Amino acid sequence: MEEKICSKTKADFVFVSDVFKKVRRLKRELDLFKFLGEYNGTYEHCMKLMKKYPKDALEMVLHKPYEVARNVNIPFHIMDRIALDQGIDRLDEERIAAILYWCMKKESGSGNAYVTFEQLYKIVAKQFKDIPKEAVENSLKNHPFIKTDPNFTRSFYNIEMLGDEEKAAHNFARLLYTKRELPFYPEFIDQIEEERGFAFGDQQRQAFQLLRSTGFKLLTGDPGTGKTTTVNGLLKYLEMLWNKMYGKLPVFALCAPAGRAAQRMKETTSRNAQTIHKLIEYQPFDGKEYYKDASDPIKADVIVVDEVSMLGLSTFSKLIAAIESGALVMLVGDTNQLQSVEPGNVLQDIIDSGCVDRCHLSEVFRQAEESLINQNAKKIIRGEENLAVGTDFKIIKCTPEETQNVLRATVQEMISETGDDKKVQVLAPVRKGSCGVNEGNTQLQTIFNLGKGGIWCGYRNLNLMTGL
């Protein structure tokens, strides 16, 4: 076709060929979008499929729907309905295997690294009432993507997750067995206190005992217990120790699971800090992953990982695989803080193992011990509801309709009491709704930032301008 048009019109072949490619792609998109529309598919789903299968997306959906469901983030029920309409039997082995894989993936999204058979079948039965238990058992015997730990045969893993856990366990043991003893100098602690003009608390001084050897170390504590101050002291101690032992400073690698946590770490330690993914030079490309490992390890004597409660199994596995034997690895976190969005509960599992030297800080410095903030925080952690109220902790009960007026009045009262609006901070648990950030910002705008007028549309302030 392109040759005929070029011969008749004398048009450039490359240009004509490019136009035809775009037209053919648009035709494939339209055919796919029309087909998916019959199953409540969206244009976004269409684009995901075209990105994964640019030349044969519709053919893949029609002939290999379960493979598509595994490789593209599209609602499983859409691909399942397509497969059933194409004539696949409800108890076909391929369908059962795909359902099990989807259920495992759904559990991983809930944070679970594995499930027992009973848990897995319960999930399957809830979503697909036509699947008998015998069919699930038979599919699991030779499932290509779901495996069991040989030591726990009734625990089922996504095959990648099982690999991550085995690799993490291997490297965890390696770093434990290759730790080496370090000399301990209590006078260094006294010198640090003198230089910085304050004395460490008893628990904070106890944390320095962790530095009697390399390997894994755990520093945990509730908010306000001085974890940051303690970490800074430990880093300074290690500098003094390395200088005495080797005549040089240690190479530090400070990191955290998330960018904001890494930035905060950089600010509080006055040292370079980065995300774990940046430290291991993680780069996904063409369906594969590239990152540092034993063949290209992290060149550091001391690795400090902050906000470890947010650390998932997959990221932890990659990180410790890239740490050289004999290094000192300090994990810092709070078991009551945010958990990882990835499967796994790394911090709690390490604590439960009992294999790692740990110092837990519980003495609060941010507020006095008798502070109601401190007391109520501990009650909330324990699941208690009888919170105490007083001068530094108040509870105002109101209906959703009253929330915004109460918020405005309370903030104005606090500004009057403090005399400084910069000392007032407002937090909201959600973004939408009467208790959310959006509605709250609308109210607070009239207090903190009057602006230049305009018209409010929802939670947005629109300024109208005349044309030139």
Side-chain angles (χ1 to χ4, degrees), residues 209-441:
Q209 299 293 326
L210 296 173
L211 305 183
R212 288 181 175 272
S213 65
T214 62
F216 277 107
K217 309 295 171 184
L218 266 177
L219 178 65
T220 59
D222 301 329
T225 55
K227 292 192 296 293
T228 298
T229 300
T230 305
V231 168
N232 282 325
L234 296 176
L235 296 179
K236 179 62 178 177
Y237 176 94
L238 288 169
E239 286 184 337
M240 298 167 72
L241 179 62
W242 247 251
N243 190 48
K244 185 175 181 65
M245 293 175 62
Y246 308 111
K248 62 178 183 179
L249 297 177
V251 178
F252 291 117
L254 277 58
C255 60
R260 184 171 293 182
Q263 180 62 32
R264 173 65 177 162
M265 194 179 190
K266 185 176 182 179
E267 293 169 356
T268 56
T269 62
S270 299
R271 301 172 188 270
N272 185 48
Q274 54 195 319
T275 63
I276 293 174
H277 284 82
K278 188 171 183 180
L279 177 63
I280 63 175
E281 298 180 9
Y282 175 82
Q283 293 181 339
F285 178 74
D286 196 23
K288 298 180 180 180
E289 298 176 321
Y290 302 89
Y291 45 86
K292 284 181 171 292
D293 54 20
S295 63
D296 179 26
I298 299 167
K299 297 298 182 181
D301 302 303
V302 179
I303 295 92
V304 182
V305 188
D306 199 9
E307 299 291 356
V308 182
S309 64
M310 298 167 59
L311 185 57
L313 178 58
S314 179
T315 301
F316 180 68
S317 176
K318 294 179 177 66
L319 173 64
I320 63 174
I323 296 176
E324 293 183 299
S325 298
L328 194 158
V329 186
M330 186 173 298
L331 307 177
V332 184
D334 176 2
T335 54
N336 297 309
Q337 286 284 10
L338 291 173
Q339 292 188 352
S340 170
V341 294
E342 288 183 354
N345 191 1
V346 172
L347 176 57
Q348 192 61 54
D349 287 346
I350 292 176
I351 293 172
D352 293 343
S353 74
C355 297
V356 175
D357 297 331
R358 179 192 180 195
C359 178
H360 180 70
L361 306 177
S362 58
E363 183 183 357
V364 176
F365 295 96
R366 195 170 296 165
Q367 296 95 22
E369 189 66 31
E370 63 274 9
S371 166
L372 294 181
I373 297 173
N374 183 33
Q375 294 176 25
N376 287 334
K378 292 178 179 178
K379 286 184 176 182
I380 292 170
I381 290 172
R382 294 193 297 265
E384 299 178 15
E385 298 181 2
N386 58 327
L387 304 183
V389 296
T391 56
D392 63 344
F393 193 97
K394 298 180 181 180
I395 298 175
I396 303 175
K397 296 182 179 181
C398 57
T399 65
E401 294 75 20
E402 298 169 338
T403 300
Q404 294 305 316
N405 289 333
V406 171
L407 172 64
R408 180 183 172 86
T410 303
V411 169
Q412 288 177 323
E413 179 183 342
M414 295 177 73
I415 293 175
S416 299
E417 290 177 359
T418 61
D420 184 358
D421 60 9
K422 291 183 172 58
K423 291 184 178 180
V424 178
Q425 189 173 39
V426 180
L427 303 178
V430 293
R431 183 171 295 278
K432 297 180 180 180
S434 61
C435 299
V437 172
N438 295 336
E439 292 292 332
N441 280 338

Side-chain angles (χ1 to χ4, degrees), residues 445 450-457 460-465:
Q445 169 110 10
L450 296 177
K452 298 180 181 179
I455 298 174
W456 284 102
C457 180
R460 298 183 183 276
N461 184 260
L462 307 177
N463 285 286
L464 305 182
M465 302 178 66

Side-chain angles (χ1 to χ4, degrees), residues 3 11 59-60 65 68 71 81 90 101 108 156 209 303 314 323 330 378:
E3 292 83 353
E59 288 75 14
M60 288 293 296
V68 172
N71 295 327
R81 284 174 54 203
R90 288 187 173 275
Y101 180 80
S108 294
F156 293 90
Q209 299 293 326
I303 295 92
S314 179
I323 296 176
M330 186 173 298
K378 292 178 179 178

